[in-house]
Amino acid sequence: MINKDDLWRDSLTILSGRVQAISFEVWIAKLKPVCFLKNKLVLLTNSPSSKNTIMKNYLPQITAAVKEVNPAIEDVEIILEGQKEEYLKKQEFIVNEEWVVEDSKPVIKDNGFSFNKKYTFDSFVVGNSNQLAFAAAKAVADDPGSKFNPLFLYGGVGLGKTHLMHAIGNYIKDTNQNLRIMYITADKFRNDYIDAINKRTTQEFREKYRQVDVIMIDDIQSLSNSPASQEAVFHMFNDLYQNDKQIILSSDRPPKEISQLEERLRTRFQLGLQEKIDKPDLETRIAILKRKASGQTFNLSDEVAYFIAKNVEDNVREMEGLLNKVIFYSSLSGSPVTTIAAAQEALKDSIKLSKDSIDENDIINTTCQYFGISYNDIVGKRRNKEFVEPRMIAIYLIRDILNMPLQAIGELFGGRDHTTIINARDKVSEALKTDKKTKMQVKDIQDMLYKR
């Protein structure tokens, strides 16, 4: 049996990890499942302009996620409100010999959140870069609340933090169904708390969290500039920790590097075990690609696996996206992608210049060229706006592209301390979420670096 709401909910879980957060919320999260028609899932959007944007930029990713949840669905169609009645009249109730049902038993679920059933310990590829984090996550799942509390996982985007959190949730659900689990992103936690304040239901908000046995908060660094939300996390942490309830947190950096985080929270986050997930080495990246391809019954040659893994070093999610593009290209062209030449053709719009050929001086000089300032201006002490903004962007790019230690970056920029470097990086990181000008500037400089 197949249910459109269950199918779309699981697809959203996958897409939320593959699409940038802003794009996901604006274009994808608002889509509504309507029905099935000729092995297609029909989704509803609210305007012609949004339909055009989704069709142009996100339809392949949406289709791939839906097919990953249920291979019986071969395509996705986007419609408008005026078409809904017409499609409902001709909807089908059997899809590839599966009955369509309106109500089905919920998938693994708690507090309105469904754990992605594909994210398990068995499907997680273990290597030198993540073996300690994997072992810690497995230990916590085996005996929640008794060891490594809190467990704090940190590392760059797309390296497996969310996978491990889902794996913990799935494992506990399978082995101890009496435990109450809650997974939530830091952004949603903040929004829910603001909503509780507005509705004067903060006591109910606090009680909701006091009742869980395992709490997982993803991207906890997002609360760095929200004192009220940090206050709520502080009280929730104390309530759960004092009652031996398991707390699991994830972040893109360790507690000591989260700026504007209250010291009392920082010390609590450091109480248990902090484990970093590093960039996977080449062998691990190839193994991940092989595992993912096998899961989609795609025969990935060693040559193509090496080509993809060599070109994406620090983001497993991005690497999987390239694999999906190769699979899509293969199915579209009707010919297998087994050579590097074929893979280059499939990925000609996606593969950038290898980061091995970029160093810190390239980034500084390219930023200077873009803004029309000198090397001495950008690394010097002058506080003029025309120098400060390029300086912060250069610092952000060096940290983002090269993952250079904070102290080393500070030495590049006239001996600045690591706190100044953290603040510069975080200001640009936050600006990228909302400021179009900063987004354009960073993208332009990246394009200059990769295409020079």
Side-chain angles (χ1 to χ4, degrees), residues 1-4 6-7 36 69-70 72-73 93-105 107 117:
M1 292 184 293
I2 183 171
N3 175 270
K4 68 180 189 300
D6 289 348
L7 172 65
F36 296 100
V69 175
N70 192 323
I73 306 302
F93 294 94
I94 296 179
V95 177
N96 275 358
E97 300 182 352
E98 283 193 72
W99 283 98
V100 175
V101 294
E102 289 303 312
D103 295 299
S104 65
K105 185 177 179 180
V107 294
K117 291 181 286 186

Side-chain angles (χ1 to χ4, degrees), residues 124 126-136 276:
F124 190 85
V126 181
N128 292 332
S129 61
N130 58 29
Q131 59 185 353
L132 294 179
F134 176 85
K276 181 180 181 181

